[in-house]
Amino acid sequence: TVYAFSTENWKRSKDEVSGLMKLLSHFIHAKEKELVANGVRFRVIGRREDLSKKLQKEIATLEEKTADGVFTLVVALSYGSRDEIVRAAMKFKGSTEEEFAACLDTAGIPDPDLIIRTSGELRLSNFLMWQAAYSEFYFTDKYWPDFDRAEFDKALASFAKRERRMGGRLK
């Protein structure tokens, strides 16, 4: 799951927002064949209704074309975890965590094992707060554009050394 655009990012200048939306549209068109060929399912979470009708249609088309993928690329777009939790609470009619989780944008997607935070920030930034309950974190000073394969390998090596208990104690 990549955090492409938060609900708070709408506060940026119109030019910046427009540029980011054009970049997303370009990605959708440029990567469609590659995603299909590599068996990658494309899925967007967040407030789609905030997006232009054109972009909503492009997203829906790519999701449909990649629906049979075995790997999933989730793009958090106009997404905020607090907003997601509030929207889920408004839909929720059950009594269990599992039933509540089914109301979240990420229903059917496993919770992340590892969350990588770039740019030297040491915070979640309103990202997957419900889903991150037992996630491991890796923080790096690298900015996203500079986050390369070597840095990814460092994150995975760090993760591999961790002892995951998921709230329990190892015997």
Side-chain angles (χ1 to χ4, degrees), residues 115-125 138-141:
I115 294 177
I116 299 170
R117 177 59 202 230
T118 59
S119 76
E121 299 291 347
L122 302 176
R123 55 185 162 80
L124 280 176
S125 295
Y138 179 80
F139 298 97
T140 178
D141 289 333

Side-chain angles (χ1 to χ4, degrees), residues 54-85:
K54 178 181 180 276
L55 188 52
Q56 288 179 47
K57 184 173 179 167
E58 291 171 343
I59 289 166
T61 299
L62 185 56
E63 286 179 325
E64 186 177 313
K65 288 181 178 181
T66 63
D68 295 329
V70 294
F71 304 103
T72 303
L73 169 62
V74 179
V75 177
L77 185 58
S78 193
Y79 172 86
S81 191
R82 287 180 173 181
D83 176 71
E84 175 191 29
I85 291 168

Side-chain angles (χ1 to χ4, degrees), residues 154-169:
K154 284 170 51 179
L156 293 179
S158 171
F159 177 74
K161 294 176 186 172
R162 315 244 179 128
E163 182 182 298
R164 300 192 73 209
R165 297 187 305 266
M166 310 300 263
R169 296 194 185 274

Side-chain angles (χ1 to χ4, degrees), residues 23-94:
L23 189 60
L24 178 65
S25 180
H26 174 76
F27 169 84
I28 287 172
H29 294 289
K31 296 296 182 180
E32 177 183 320
K33 289 180 182 172
E34 183 179 347
L35 293 173
V36 171
N38 289 307
V40 177
R41 178 179 158 217
F42 178 79
R43 182 161 169 199
V44 167
I45 60 172
R47 298 176 56 96
R48 292 175 190 229
E49 63 272 16
D50 294 345
L51 308 173
S52 71
K53 296 290 183 202
K54 178 181 180 276
L55 188 52
Q56 288 179 47
K57 184 173 179 167
E58 291 171 343
I59 289 166
T61 299
L62 185 56
E63 286 179 325
E64 186 177 313
K65 288 181 178 181
T66 63
D68 295 329
V70 294
F71 304 103
T72 303
L73 169 62
V74 179
V75 177
L77 185 58
S78 193
Y79 172 86
S81 191
R82 287 180 173 181
D83 176 71
E84 175 191 29
I85 291 168
V86 168
R87 287 184 288 110
M90 291 168 43
K91 291 190 281 187
F92 183 58
K93 303 287 187 233

